[in-house]
Amino acid sequence: MSPRTATATHRRGRKASAPPAPTATATTYREALREAHREAMRRDPRVFLMGEDVGRYGGAFAVSLGLLEEFGEDRVRDTPLSEAAFTGAGIGAAMRGMRPVVEIMTVNFSLLALDQVLNNAATLRHMSGGQLSVPLVIRMTTGAGRQLAAQHSHSLEGWYAHIPGLRVLAPATLEDARGMLWPALQDPDPVVIFEHGSLYNLSGHLPADPGPVDIERAAVRRSGTDVTLVAFGGTLGKALTAAESLAAQGISAEVVDLRVLRPLDDATILESVARTHRLVVVDEAWRTGSLAAEVSARVAEQAFFELDAHVERVGAVEVPVPYAQHLEEATLPQVPGIVEAARRAVGEDG
Amino acid sequence: MTATEQRSGTATERAAADTTEQATGTSGADTPAGLLRAMLRIRRFEEKCAELYSATKIRGFLHLCIGEEAVAVGVVGALAAEDAVVSTYREHGHALARGVPMTAIMAEMFGRSTGCSGGRGGSMHLFDAGRRFYGGNAIVAGGLPVAVGLALADHLTGSPAVTACLFGDGAFAEGEWHESANLAALWHLPVLFCCENNRYAMGTSLAREHAQTDLAARAASYGMVSWAVDGMDVTQVREATTKALAYVRDSGQPCFLELRTYRFRAHSMYDPDRYRDPAEIEQWKRSDPIPALTEQLVQRGQVTTADVEQWEREIGQEIAAAVAAADAAPLEPVEDLTRHLTSTGPGEGSAS
Ligand SMILES: Cc1ncc(C[n+]2csc(CCOP(=O)(O)OP(=O)(O)O)c2C)c(N)n1
Ligand SMILES: [Mg+2]
C-alpha cells in the first residue's frame, strides 16, 4: 500500500478546511455562507435574499443573521409560508434582471415548490427557444442525522440533479460554503445549492479574502491509490474518516468530493478510478435511482475495463428515516459501512 | 422576432398595424372598429387552427379561445409595451393581441425553427421575450408566481411596468393562485390578475369546483381591489382593464379582474364535450362578442359591411400567408435538440 497523504485537517475529521494560513480567520460553515451573502449583496445591487424567516428571525439555520439589519427589508425579504409563490417569484424576478437568492428552509418543503423549479426555472430557456434566462439561486438545507424523523430528513439532491437545465451544487467545505454563491449568481441559469444540516457548525479557517471557487469540477479531497471513495455534502466527512481508518489498515483510499451534482464531472471520477481501479460511492439518499446509481453507471459505461472489482454503493436503507437515534443511525451510511465496502472492493473481505 | 418584423407595407398593412400597435397602446386599434377587427382576426386564426389540427398539421394539445376573444383583445390590447404578459396554454388570442407575429405563432404550431419558441413549445408554449410575452404555461396556475416575481423586480427597480397574468377559473382553486394573491397584496406588487372565468375547468363546472363561486369576492378578501366584468363585451373589458391598469400603476397595488366569459368550443381537441348541455352553449353563443359588436357598430354607422368584408379578406390573406410560410419553413434541426438547455450550450456537458 502506498504512502498516505492525509493532511492534519483531514485527520480532524469534520474540519474539512485548509490548514490555517497566517492571515486566516476562524469561521464556520454557517458564517462562511453568511459572508458569501454579504459579499454578493455588497457587490451587486441586483442581489436580494428571500425566504421564510430569513430576515427578522435570522434564518432557520441562522445563515442570514444580521443581514436584514445591514441590507434592509427590500433586500432581505421575509416571505409567507408559500414555497411555490416565492420560488416562482424568484424565477420571475430573475427573468426581469434581478439576481435573487431564494432560501427554501429545507429540501423537504421544497416539494411544494418543485413545480416552479422543474416546470419553470429549469424549462423556460429551452421551451422558449432560448429567449428566456433564469439567473436564480435557490439554497436549501438537506439531509438527515439530527433525529428529526422522516419528514425533516430527506436527501433529495438526486431528484434535482436529475433535471436538465439546473446546476446543482453541494458545498461540503468551508471554502465551498464561502466561495460557491458568487459564481452561482454569475451563472445565467438556475443553480440549486444544497447545505447539509450537519455542516453548519463545521469550523476551521479561511483566508480573510478568499477568492471564488469553481462550480464545474469535483475535487479530490484526499489522494490515494487503492480505492476511490466518492462522496458529497453530508457524507464527505464520513468518507474522509473512513479513509483515515482504512489507512490505519494499510489501505490507501482516495476521496473524491463531487461538489457539483449536475452537471457531473465525469473526468475527475474517471481519472481517480483509473488510478485506484476500485470504486465505492457513498450517498445519504436511498440507493434506488440515486446519484450513487448514476455515478456507478457512468463508471461502468466509461471505465469498465479499469475496474478490478465491482462497484460498491453505500446508501441509506430504503425506509422513511426514523426518529429513534439507533434506528436513524442504522438507516444512514456510517463510517464502518464505508470501511467494509472499501475492504470488499480491495478484496480484503469486510 | 423583433417589434418591427410584422410591418410590411402590403395591403394587409392595416391588419398588422392594428395588432402590433395595440401592444404599444398607441393607435386606432383602440377604437371600437379596431377592437372588433382584432377579435375577428383571433377568431379566424383559431378556426384555421382547428382545421389544421384535423389535417394533422398541428399536433399535441390545442386549446381554442373561441368565444373568449373579448378578453384577449380587451385586456392584452390595453397593455403598454413595457408591461408584461404571463398566460396559459389557451393563449393564441393573448399572443396575437400582444402583437406576436401570426407567422411565428403558426410556425411554432407546425414545429418549425421559425416558430416563436423554436419548435420546442407548440400551441401551449408561445413565447416572445422582446414583447414581454412570457408564455404559454401549461401547468394550471403555474404562471402566477412568476408574474408576481416579474412585478417584484419592477417594484424593486422602480419600473412603471405592470404584469398582467391571465389564468382560468380552474386555476383559482390552486394553491399557487392563493399564495400569489397573498404575496402580491402583502408586498404591494404591480400585478393585474385576470381570471378568465369561462365557467369550466375541463369538464368541471364552476359550481362543482368552487364552494363560493363569486371569484371576485374571494379575491377581494386578500385586500385587493377586485372587479367582475362582462367578458363577452370587449368595450367593457377594455374600459375595466384601462381603469385597472391606471390603478395598479398609480398605487403600486395589485388588482383583480374576473372576466366572465364562455368557451364555445371543447376544452381541447381531445375533448368530446360530454359535460355541457348543448342548449347552454347555444344560449351563450347569443352573446358572442363578435356579431353583437358588428351589428352595433354598423347600426351606429361606425363600420360598414364593406369594411367587415375587407377585413375578412385581409385576415384571410394574413392567415393564408402564415400557413404557407409555416409549411415552407425548415424544421428545427435535430442537431439543435439540446441547444438552449443552458446558456453554456449544447448538452451542458452531461448529455452523454
Ligand atoms: C396543475 C395541473 N393540474 C391539472 C392539469 C390538467 N388541466 C389542464 S387545463 C385544466 C382545466 C383548467 O381550467 P381553467 O383554469 O378554468 O382554464 P380553462 O381551460 O377553462 O381556460 C386541467 C385540469 C394541468 N395542466 N395542470
Ligand atoms: Mg375555465
Side-chain angles (χ1 to χ4, degrees), chain A residues 48 50 74 77-86 88-93 95-96 98 112 115-116 119-120 122 124-132 163-167 187-189 262-264 266 298 302, chain B residues 1 82 116-118 120-121 125 127-130 132 134 136-137 139 141-142 145-146 148-150 152-157 159 161 176 179-180 182-183 186-187 337-344 348-350 352:
Chain A
F48 68 96
M50 67 176 156
D74 264 0
R77 309 183 70 91
D78 280 319
T79 66
L81 286 146
S82 304
E83 287 80 6
F86 69 73
I91 294 166
M95 288 196 316
R96 185 63 166 150
M98 302 299 286
L112 282 84
D115 165 47
Q116 290 299 320
N119 283 313
N120 287 335
L124 282 170
R125 178 186 290 279
H126 191 260
M127 199 168 71
S128 69
Q131 294 183 76
L132 300 177
I163 301 174
L166 297 182
R167 179 183 297 276
D187 192 323
D189 299 309
R262 184 180 188 99
L264 276 174
D266 293 0
R298 288 184 187 215
Q302 299 174 64
Chain B
M1 285 140 296
E82 76 227 26
C116 59
S117 309
R120 287 159 175 77
H125 304 298
F127 290 92
D128 189 337
R132 302 209 67 213
Y134 292 101
N137 202 307
I139 303 300
V146 176
V148 171
L150 290 165
L152 172 59
D154 288 327
H155 168 81
L156 287 171
T157 55
S159 153
E176 288 191 318
E179 290 187 11
S180 300
N182 181 54
L183 199 58
L186 181 72
W187 285 356
L337 177 62
T338 59
R339 208 172 147 220
H340 302 313
L341 178 57
T342 64
S343 57
T344 45
E348 60 158 344
S350 65
S352 58

Side-chain angles (χ1 to χ4, degrees), chain B residues 296-316:
Chain B
Q296 204 185 86
L297 295 184
V298 170
Q299 263 171 19
R300 283 198 218 139
Q302 288 176 283
V303 158
T304 65
T305 42
D307 284 336
V308 179
E309 280 161 20
Q310 165 76 3
W311 295 343
E312 291 278 15
R313 269 194 306 278
E314 290 167 357
I315 291 167

Side-chain angles (χ1 to χ4, degrees), chain B residues 89-90 138-140 168-171 174 196 198 200-202 263 267:
Chain B
Y89 47 87
R90 198 183 300 287
I139 303 300
V140 171
D169 49 290
E174 290 280 7
E196 294 183 286
N198 61 10
Y200 285 87
M202 286 182 65
R263 65 170 156 74
H267 169 73

Side-chain angles (χ1 to χ4, degrees), chain B residues 18-313:
Chain B
D18 271 358
T19 47
T20 311
E21 285 171 11
Q22 266 180 38
T24 54
T26 56
S27 81
D30 287 336
T31 64
L35 299 178
L36 176 59
R37 191 189 184 289
M39 290 197 293
L40 194 65
R41 180 169 174 262
I42 294 170
R43 175 74 54 94
R44 297 291 176 255
F45 175 80
E46 287 211 310
E47 285 166 351
K48 188 65 181 179
C49 290
E51 202 184 304
L52 291 164
Y53 196 87
S54 305
T56 74
K57 288 283 189 185
I58 299 176
R59 307 304 294 152
F61 278 131
L62 182 72
H63 307 85
L64 304 176
C65 74
I66 289 176
E68 306 180 20
E69 295 91 343
V71 176
V73 170
V75 169
V76 179
L79 302 173
E82 76 227 26
D83 296 336
V85 187
V86 177
S87 179
T88 70
Y89 47 87
R90 198 183 300 287
E91 88 282 37
H92 307 153
H94 306 151
L96 286 170
R98 185 57 180 171
V100 181
M102 188 187 283
T103 46
I105 298 172
M106 191 60 86
E108 184 57 32
M109 292 200 254
F110 277 51
R112 306 299 164 125
S113 63
T114 51
C116 59
S117 309
R120 287 159 175 77
S123 159
M124 299 191 291
H125 304 298
L126 306 174
F127 290 92
D128 189 337
R131 290 184 176 79
R132 302 209 67 213
F133 190 81
Y134 292 101
N137 202 307
I139 303 300
V140 171
L144 281 150
V146 176
V148 171
L150 290 165
L152 172 59
D154 288 327
H155 168 81
L156 287 171
T157 55
S159 153
V162 173
T163 299
C165 186
L166 297 114
F167 58 104
D169 49 290
F172 198 104
E174 290 280 7
E176 288 191 318
W177 146 250
H178 293 280
E179 290 187 11
S180 300
N182 181 54
L183 199 58
L186 181 72
W187 285 356
H188 309 304
L189 302 180
V191 185
L192 180 59
F193 292 109
C194 304
C195 182
E196 294 183 286
N197 178 1
N198 61 10
R199 310 187 68 80
Y200 285 87
M202 286 182 65
T204 306
S205 64
L206 195 64
R208 294 179 61 244
E209 55 177 335
H210 292 289
Q212 164 56 271
T213 57
D214 186 340
L215 305 184
R218 287 166 69 193
S221 77
Y222 286 107
M224 257 188 275
V225 170
S226 162
W227 297 314
V229 184
D230 177 359
M232 302 306 268
D233 181 336
V234 71
T235 321
Q236 285 190 44
V237 175
R238 175 57 65 92
E239 252 175 54
T241 308
T242 306
K243 257 196 338 210
L245 284 169
Y247 165 76
V248 175
R249 254 186 262 282
D250 289 351
S251 67
Q253 309 273 353
C255 181
F256 178 89
L257 296 180
E258 178 191 338
L259 303 138
R260 297 188 172 160
T261 183
Y262 197 79
R263 65 170 156 74
F264 296 165
R265 300 284 182 116
H267 169 73
S268 75
M269 301 302 280
Y270 279 82
D271 170 16
D273 210 342
R274 292 196 193 97
Y275 46 84
R276 296 193 293 190
D277 183 348
E280 178 186 290
I281 304 175
E282 287 316 306
Q283 175 69 28
W284 274 92
K285 280 188 177 168
R286 276 182 228 154
S287 37
D288 187 331
I290 295 175
L293 184 60
T294 312
E295 203 174 310
Q296 204 185 86
L297 295 184
V298 170
Q299 263 171 19
R300 283 198 218 139
Q302 288 176 283
V303 158
T304 65
T305 42
D307 284 336
V308 179
E309 280 161 20
Q310 165 76 3
W311 295 343
E312 291 278 15
R313 269 194 306 278

